[in-house]
Amino acid sequence: MGNEKPSTKNQVLKILRDMAKKEPGTAVSGEDLAEITGFSRVSVWKAVQALQNSGYQIESGKTGYRLVHEREDSVMPFEFGENEAQVVFVEETASTMDEGRKIAFERMMNPEASEDTGKEGSYGRRAAALGRKPVIVICDRQTDGKDRKGNKWNAKEGSLAFTLVTEVSLPSSKASRMVLAAQVTAANTLKALTGKSFHLKWPNEIWDEKEKVGGVLDEVFVSGNRTKWINLGIGINLTGIFSRKDFLKTFMTMYKEIENKVIKYPEILVAEWNYYCSDINKTVRNSSDGFQGTFIGADDGGFGLIKNSGGDVMRLTPGESYLL
């Protein structure tokens, strides 16, 4: 997603990690850290302080610094290297969608901002630097997450709750295409990390062989007849199989290709989604009016399609209909 040079914190942490593995108990001097990273000793010292304040146990002594204990399952931005600027971390929030909305509006209201306003929660400098690049908002604790139906989404400890902030411009009638994109990206990510197959259900669910393991919630801002931004709240309830950092890194890499399909090759995206869908050719009913028939897949607007015995096709609106 990004091509920025890794920060001082990222490089210092990587060196201390490598040393802790190769020569446990051995410290690295500030002078050596400065020479290796190319940053000043003051910058190195500030980076170590920031890492310590972020929960990494780093001992400082006469011979230098050594990493004693990691921050458990860390998703701090500097863990993402060149993609650091595209990761926003908050310890606790009612919902990552709330934080994503702040970023989206900040971009619209202050597109030329060159520095933060100084107010808590301001994303002005980040918005100016990133332009239209996507951003991931991740938290350790989400206290009031909701699913598409408005029900509370209770995340298990160690599970993922994050929001992908995007500024993809689509006709408003095609906005739900991005939900398909998020589902496919999540399924591809899970498969890459576990070696197992995952399935998709319309309009927004992700399943393993037995049960629902995740879902996607979208929020869209439209100007005229085109989208200005589409934010995607993604929840994954799988724990202990992979780290959150590994999931997000893989997701970010795979999203690059998927976003290209969203804009230029929607027919390929739809075909991939339909391939993953476990309800194709099954008899289903529309939750809103009871229309029954065979589910034949999704279209390039993210709408579900049911064909009845007479050949009539019902186009189901995401957010208003579910399959029964």
Side-chain angles (χ1 to χ4, degrees), residues 61-300:
K62 293 181 179 180
T63 57
Y65 307 103
R66 68 185 186 93
L67 180 64
V68 178
H69 188 70
E70 295 272 8
R71 177 184 172 121
E72 294 294 333
D73 194 21
S74 175
V75 285
M76 301 294 286
F78 49 77
E79 292 278 7
F80 295 86
E82 63 182 15
N83 294 318
E84 176 176 344
Q86 290 169 257
V87 178
V88 174
F89 172 78
V90 289
E91 290 276 0
E92 180 176 297
T93 181
S95 170
T96 58
M97 289 292 273
D98 294 342
E99 303 300 325
R101 191 181 309 116
K102 292 176 186 177
I103 294 173
F105 276 119
E106 181 72 44
R107 284 177 164 184
M108 288 195 303
M109 300 302 293
N110 300 288
E112 303 300 326
S114 59
E115 60 182 1
D116 290 323
T117 64
K119 297 179 181 179
E120 184 178 356
S122 172
Y123 299 104
R125 184 165 54 204
R126 185 187 303 273
L130 292 175
R132 298 180 65 86
K133 291 181 182 178
V135 168
I136 279 181
V137 183
I138 180 70
C139 68
D140 276 344
R141 294 178 297 279
Q142 181 171 268
T143 60
D144 195 28
K146 298 288 196 305
D147 64 17
R148 184 182 282 262
K149 298 178 183 179
N151 300 318
K152 188 176 180 63
W153 186 73
N154 295 312
K156 301 175 184 177
E157 184 177 354
S159 63
L160 271 167
F162 68 98
T163 291
L164 179 66
V165 181
T166 79
E167 292 190 61
V168 176
S169 178
L170 293 171
S172 57
S173 61
K174 307 292 185 181
S176 291
R177 184 188 299 169
M178 284 295 289
V179 176
L180 306 186
Q183 286 178 279
V184 170
T185 306
N188 285 338
T189 299
L190 290 168
K191 184 176 181 179
L193 293 174
T194 67
K196 299 179 180 179
S197 294
F198 289 80
H199 308 288
L200 305 177
K201 288 180 177 287
W202 190 86
N204 68 326
E205 297 179 356
I206 304 155
W207 285 62
D208 63 12
E209 294 293 340
K210 297 180 180 179
E211 61 184 350
K212 178 181 175 181
V213 298
V216 180
L217 179 69
D218 62 320
E219 184 172 87
V220 183
F221 184 86
V222 176
S223 178
N225 64 349
R226 297 194 68 85
T227 60
K228 291 290 289 183
W229 51 263
I230 306 171
N231 287 355
L232 301 158
I234 301 166
I236 303 292
N237 265 338
L238 285 176
T239 60
I241 302 174
F242 44 76
S243 71
R244 295 184 298 165
K245 180 172 68 175
D246 285 345
F247 182 96
L248 292 173
K249 281 187 172 182
T250 307
F251 184 95
M252 292 161 81
T253 298
M254 291 187 166
Y255 177 74
K256 288 181 183 179
E257 180 182 350
I258 295 295
E259 187 179 63
N260 188 47
K261 292 176 183 177
V262 167
I263 299 169
K264 296 183 178 180
Y265 308 106
E267 67 282 358
I268 298 178
L269 171 65
V270 171
E272 192 169 358
W273 188 93
N274 286 334
Y275 171 80
Y276 275 121
C277 181
S278 57
D279 288 327
I280 300 292
N281 296 326
K282 289 185 179 180
T283 300
V284 297
R285 283 188 297 114
N286 177 18
S287 63
S288 62
D289 62 8
F291 183 89
Q292 183 170 309
T294 301
F295 185 71
I296 59 175
D299 66 13
D300 69 355

